[in-house]
Amino acid sequence: MGKVICFGELMLRLNPSGYLRIVQAENFEASYAGGEANVAVSLANYGEDAAFVSVIPDNLIGQSAVNSLRRWGVDTSLIKRSGDRLGIYFVEKGASQRASKVIYDRKYSAISLSTASDYDWKSIFKDADWFHFTGITPALSDSLASVCLEACKAAKEAGVTISCDLNYRKNLWSKEKAGEVMGALVPYVDVLIANEEDASDVFGITAENTDVESGSISTAGYEKVAAELSMRFGCKAVAITLRGSISANDNNWAGMLYSNGRSYLSKNYLIHIVDRVGGGDSFGGALIHALHSGYSEQEAIEFAVAASCLKQTIEQDFNHVSESEVKALMNGNGTGRVQR
């Protein structure tokens, strides 16, 4: 198999310990993360040759961020050192009826100021056969939106499979701008990933008999959403995560893969959440690995959902689970009993 290229922003994550609110915090725990970086770490965990493309400041904070990826086996040789600051985001973990909160401090980050001249996509895609990005990256600047389009065109020319997680973030851009920009990018995408809200927010494609606020999810409704996304943009496969929110701590979690006119639904997991941030990225990373490795459609969606179920029991964004642990859960070993 060829290299998997992930393109996006790597940021410093700061969060109060435990369930403290930001206004209570006198210190913050530091780690590094980002949508595509989270995917790259998951892929490396499963033995994939995963490389991360980004622009990161040439200073000690930037080096620490790069080291966080190297530690888990991600190839960082394609990262360019430039700019003055690394983006930051703050996470406040929710509990019970209190929702989690994310606050961004990423304006004027190194990657957001990058331009087309910073990327040699022909060279980047040498020895690669998969390219992954998310809707977060083109939301950072008009320049990055253009860079993403160039990357998709270059990937197609190189015969590289393209995956994209819509990942709509209302704090980064409007629904109208997201629809315009992603509408130009998604026609290049082979495997499209979304959650229960993204298709509606970005493209106005809604699922019938679904209310995400109450946790009521209609599988049949999302089959139609996936079919419409596939038909409108020509995607070979569409994957949708299905989160039924009971509270900030407890969620039902499942997923669906639509391919060749057929839907494949995973089993449902009731998760007691430790840290849900990065849950969707762990789903994407596992799905890419499964499809890249030749899993059947049903096996692929089961693997992706089981992997993301496990991630949400792990602190911080990266998913530190092995392929064997995911397969054990897929095969029914979900009791949480001590393994000796």
Side-chain angles (χ1 to χ4, degrees):
M1 294 187 294
K3 189 184 293 289
V4 181
I5 304 295
C6 299
F7 172 51
E9 182 169 28
L10 180 61
M11 294 188 293
L12 171 64
R13 166 179 160 159
L14 298 174
N15 59 267
S17 61
Y19 290 96
L20 287 177
R21 303 208 69 184
I22 288 173
V23 294
Q24 295 176 278
E26 296 182 354
N27 51 65
F28 291 87
E29 297 174 352
S31 59
Y32 297 93
E36 298 87 353
N38 298 341
V39 169
V41 170
S42 281
L43 290 166
N45 279 346
Y46 304 134
E48 296 275 357
D49 186 1
F52 187 63
V53 175
S54 191
V55 178
I56 290 176
D58 188 13
N59 57 34
L60 290 177
I61 298 297
Q63 186 60 52
S64 181
V66 171
N67 290 347
S68 73
L69 297 181
R70 287 178 176 169
R71 177 184 181 187
W72 304 111
V74 175
D75 178 357
T76 60
S77 64
L78 299 174
I79 292 174
K80 180 174 181 177
R81 302 302 186 92
S82 181
D84 296 320
R85 73 180 301 254
L86 192 75
I88 301 171
Y89 75 107
F90 296 83
V91 178
E92 177 184 290
K93 289 203 299 183
S96 192
Q97 281 70 42
R98 177 172 59 84
S100 296
K101 295 183 183 296
V102 172
I103 299 173
Y104 291 128
D105 178 17
R106 64 201 302 179
K107 193 172 184 180
Y108 306 123
S109 65
I111 190 173
S112 71
L113 299 178
S114 66
T115 63
S117 63
D118 292 308
Y119 307 94
D120 180 357
W121 292 110
K122 185 175 181 180
S123 176
I124 288 169
F125 289 132
K126 182 182 178 181
D127 301 323
D129 63 5
W130 198 292
F131 172 57
H132 179 74
F133 72 104
T134 78
I136 295 173
T137 302
L140 298 177
S141 67
D142 289 341
S143 175
L144 271 183
S146 296
V147 169
C148 284
L149 185 58
E150 289 189 7
C152 287
K153 290 178 178 178
K156 280 300 180 188
E157 288 181 7
V160 172
T161 298
I162 301 174
S163 59
C164 174
D165 190 332
L166 283 179
N167 260 352
Y168 175 70
R169 297 291 184 266
K170 65 181 180 181
N171 291 332
L172 295 179
W173 57 357
S174 68
K175 293 179 181 180
E176 292 74 22
K177 184 67 177 288
E180 175 187 345
V181 173
M182 297 309 294
L185 291 171
V186 175
Y188 292 91
V189 172
D190 299 292
V191 180
L192 182 64
I193 303 167
N195 67 21
E196 66 276 5
E197 298 175 272
D198 287 335
S200 175
D201 288 335
V202 179
F203 297 124
I205 302 173
T206 58
E208 298 175 356
N209 302 317
T210 289
D211 181 357
V212 296
E213 295 296 330
S214 68
S216 174
I217 302 294
S218 167
T219 302
Y222 280 104
E223 288 178 353
K224 293 181 179 179
V225 167
E228 185 169 345
L229 286 168
S230 180
M231 185 180 303
R232 182 184 298 187
F233 298 109
C235 304
K236 296 177 182 177
V238 177
I240 297 179
T241 57
L242 303 172
R243 185 187 295 275
S245 296
I246 300 169
S247 69
N249 298 102
D250 298 287
N251 286 183
N252 282 300
W253 182 251
M256 183 191 64
L257 180 64
Y258 181 87
S259 178
N260 295 316
R262 182 178 173 186
S263 298
Y264 302 85
L265 183 67
S266 77
K267 69 179 69 173
N268 179 77
Y269 297 93
L270 176 59
I271 311 174
H272 186 70
I273 294 173
V274 171
D275 193 336
R276 65 168 284 180
V277 180
D281 303 323
S282 63
F283 173 89
L287 182 69
I288 293 168
H289 170 64
L291 295 175
H292 201 212
S293 301
Y295 286 32
S296 70
E297 288 87 347
Q298 189 64 52
E299 290 171 333
I301 192 62
E302 295 289 3
F303 186 85
V305 171
S308 53
C309 170
L310 290 173
K311 189 273 143 212
Q312 292 171 81
T313 69
I314 298 171
E315 294 278 5
Q316 302 173 355
D317 282 58
F318 294 164
N319 192 16
H320 303 298
V321 296
S322 66
E323 188 162 14
S324 61
E325 288 175 314
V326 177
K327 287 184 174 179
L329 180 57
M330 281 174 61
N331 295 327
N333 185 4
T335 60
R337 291 176 60 87
V338 175
Q339 298 179 7
R340 303 183 190 277

